[in-house]
Amino acid sequence: IEVGELDVCQEAFSPQDLISDIYSLMKIRVEEKNLRLAIEFDDSVPKTVISDKTRLRQILVNLVSNAIKFTNKGEIKLKTRVIHDLFPVIEFTITDTGIGMNARTMNRIFDPFVRGDNAFAPGAGLGLAITRRLVELLKGEIEVKSEEGRGTTFKVAVPIGLTGCNLGSSVEETVWKQRYANAALKPKQDGFVYRILVVDDHNDIRKMIQYLLRDAGAETDGVESGEKALEVIRQAELENRPYDVIILDIHLSGISGYAVASKLRQLNYRGAIIAVTAAAMRYEEEKCLAAGCDYYITKPIDEENLIGLIGRACSAKDFRKEAKPEAAKKNAQVLIVEDHRDSAESIARLLRIKGYSVETAYSGKAALEKCVTIRPEIILLDLTLPDMDGSEVLTGIRRELPDAFVAVLSGRSRSELVRQVHEEAFNAYFEKPPDLALLSETLADFTRSQGGG
């Protein structure tokens, strides 16, 4: 910066992506201090602008980090808007409820090596000095307002280019158009737009998702709790204006997203449910599918991925509506043989949602008895059972039901399994814990091959 070697790179980028990136980066630090990071995104902000995204990111990271550092309770708010004047400007306002500053400190806050009146503040006191230089590098302005004990507000305004006016058919615009060419929802077969309900207890995230969905051509509503979601969905059904898709945050305060999804399926909600969570663990996906969700997406949400998921979900939903109502009734009877009751119940919930009749057995003896009484067409068999050897159970099943579809669940590799039992004795193999989506798809293929739903 001092020798003028810092370059500015003008490029087309999405302000939505920039703010989403900042939110994801700062979320953990905010939660560690039991604060709230609120995002306000004005409708004046276009899909793309032209500026130096990297420098803007550095500016916002510095300012939001500072706000978190000096705020012990309350919230930090980041508001974004675009002022369409003779020269368009993007404006970021960062407001906190922290310790604030007196007039003396405010007069020196942008000087190098100044840390206000808090001698114990971490850092070298260069953050705001660098921030101001970065703002000036972008030909922008930064100002601060503060009151001791009442919080601080920083406002940054930077000139931008607008893609529609400045880029023409440039490479940046072409790349952007290609990226989001499919990020739009086609109307339904009846010509109406899709109705989508967004359920998230973070007001900023909920509004941002709604903004993206409206921009893609959907009609959206948003609620902040699972209880409210169930109420709104029931009312929409009564008014014959059901939601086509539910975007559902799994980790809601109050009733969880898992419980909401499960309750909706019990109430025979036929629309698509897309689970949203900050965790990217496999067990989360399995829990979501078992609860009744159709798809799973992690935060921070990528617009293209979200719109693509909704498109697939809606297509599948339209197909289900056209299908014959009796088709689901033809799904097979399933017996799950698994001594781990939670695992058995997770699989059972998923398959019941898909229309199967499901029974469970927690021992080899109970499994063989149920093979005689209910004569299942599909058996999911854990070979590690408390009372009988798995190969012995499998032999008994084949003796009683030679034509049943048997899928083995095992912690062993397939090659190890084949050394224990004949490969011809089972039809499919799933390593534990099983991939529930693949399991469901495999059973659906078998059911269709038998002339079922």
Side-chain angles (χ1 to χ4, degrees), residues 165-178:
C165 303
N166 298 9
L167 278 183
S169 57
S170 69
V171 174
E172 289 91 344
E173 185 181 52
T174 301
V175 170
W176 185 87
K177 284 184 175 180
Q178 288 175 347

Side-chain angles (χ1 to χ4, degrees), residues 199 248-252 255-258 261 275-277 284 288 293 296:
V199 187
L248 179 63
D249 180 29
I250 288 300
H251 300 290
L252 296 169
I255 179 173
S256 72
Y258 299 112
V276 179
T277 178
E284 285 274 13
C288 291
C293 301
Y296 170 95

Side-chain angles (χ1 to χ4, degrees), residues 46 49-51 56 82 87-90 158-162 166:
V49 299
I50 303 171
S51 185
L56 285 175
V82 167
F87 300 102
V89 171
I90 190 165
V158 173
I160 55 170
L162 300 176
N166 298 9

Side-chain angles (χ1 to χ4, degrees), residues 15 42 44-46 49-51 56 80-92 135 138-142 155-162:
D42 196 83
S44 63
V45 182
V49 299
I50 303 171
S51 185
L56 285 175
T80 307
R81 67 170 182 159
V82 167
I83 303 170
H84 295 274
D85 207 337
L86 181 61
F87 300 102
V89 171
I90 190 165
E91 182 183 86
F92 303 101
V135 172
L138 298 179
K139 310 300 182 186
E141 297 179 349
I142 183 170
K155 186 174 290 185
V156 174
V158 173
I160 55 170
L162 300 176

